[in-house]
Amino acid sequence: FAAAAGAVWVLCSQFISKLTLLPVEVVLLQIPVALGLIGESVLTQVMIYQKKSRILLAVVALKSVFLLALALMLVAQRAQQKYLGVIYADVAIALAMIVCAGFILRKDIKLRFSRPYLKSLTAYSVPLIVHALSLALLSQSDRILIGHLMDRAAVGTYSLAYMVGAAPLLIAAPI
């Protein structure tokens, strides 16, 4: 599924670039970020199932600290297009998360092909993919609209304010 989704993303990258007002290269860099999120999601599900919340907390906390530190360093080093510092940091941390999740889960997950499992997985996952894509579009449509009506600084200010406003939800969600 990840390969198919990546191929669709590559094919749609020109359209997404025009829609989001981002360079195609930046749109394509979202593929490793998405793979990192998949790795983190798998790790999260296994750790929750195994009731190993301390390991999960450590990984997620370290990810957040390293992402913030790396993003700040890369943004500070760039004279122009500072947003690329955040994107490059996202890519680096996503790749590190894939390696980390693979290392932690190496004894728990065995990769093998199973046609019945693939059929079951497809039946379960396809509706969730449609749901996730619609949620992503819904959650980003305000930023896309602001980007087309105003400048990038307005989008950045709005995004920051939105993230600060959403912080209590991130704290309350695990409770």
Side-chain angles (χ1 to χ4, degrees):
F1 288 118
V8 170
W9 189 258
V10 169
L11 292 173
C12 296
S13 61
Q14 292 288 338
F15 172 74
I16 295 167
S17 174
K18 289 177 185 172
L19 183 65
T20 60
L21 304 175
L22 291 170
V24 174
E25 297 78 21
V26 171
V27 172
L28 293 174
L29 283 174
Q30 297 312 301
I31 293 172
V33 172
L35 292 174
L37 290 173
I38 291 169
E40 182 177 353
S41 177
V42 170
L43 178 66
T44 299
Q45 296 305 313
V46 172
M47 293 295 103
I48 288 171
Y49 178 76
Q50 294 179 348
K51 298 182 178 168
K52 294 181 178 178
S53 59
R54 288 184 182 184
I55 293 172
L56 182 59
L57 174 63
V59 170
V60 173
L62 286 171
K63 174 193 169 196
S64 298
V65 168
F66 284 122
L67 178 60
L68 178 62
L70 185 57
L72 289 173
M73 285 183 352
L74 293 175
V75 166
Q77 290 178 346
R78 298 191 62 81
Q80 295 180 344
Q81 296 180 319
K82 291 186 176 281
Y83 71 94
L84 287 175
V86 175
I87 291 170
Y88 294 150
D90 259 345
V91 170
I93 297 301
L95 295 173
M97 186 55 122
I98 293 168
V99 171
C100 180
F103 179 77
I104 292 171
L105 298 174
R106 71 189 181 282
K107 295 178 183 172
D108 298 310
I109 294 180
K110 306 290 187 266
L111 297 178
R112 62 183 181 269
F113 182 77
S114 166
R115 189 173 301 272
Y117 183 72
L118 180 63
K119 187 176 179 181
S120 174
L121 178 68
T122 303
Y124 179 77
S125 299
V126 169
L128 293 177
I129 292 169
V130 173
H131 174 73
L133 288 173
S134 65
L135 284 178
L137 182 61
L138 183 62
S139 71
Q140 296 300 315
S141 61
D142 52 351
R143 292 176 183 97
I144 292 169
L145 185 60
I146 292 169
H148 284 284
L149 297 175
M150 302 176 82
D151 61 355
R152 289 184 181 173
V155 175
T157 303
Y158 174 81
S159 295
L160 179 62
Y162 188 88
M163 288 187 332
V164 169
L169 295 174
L170 295 174
I171 294 168
I175 299 173

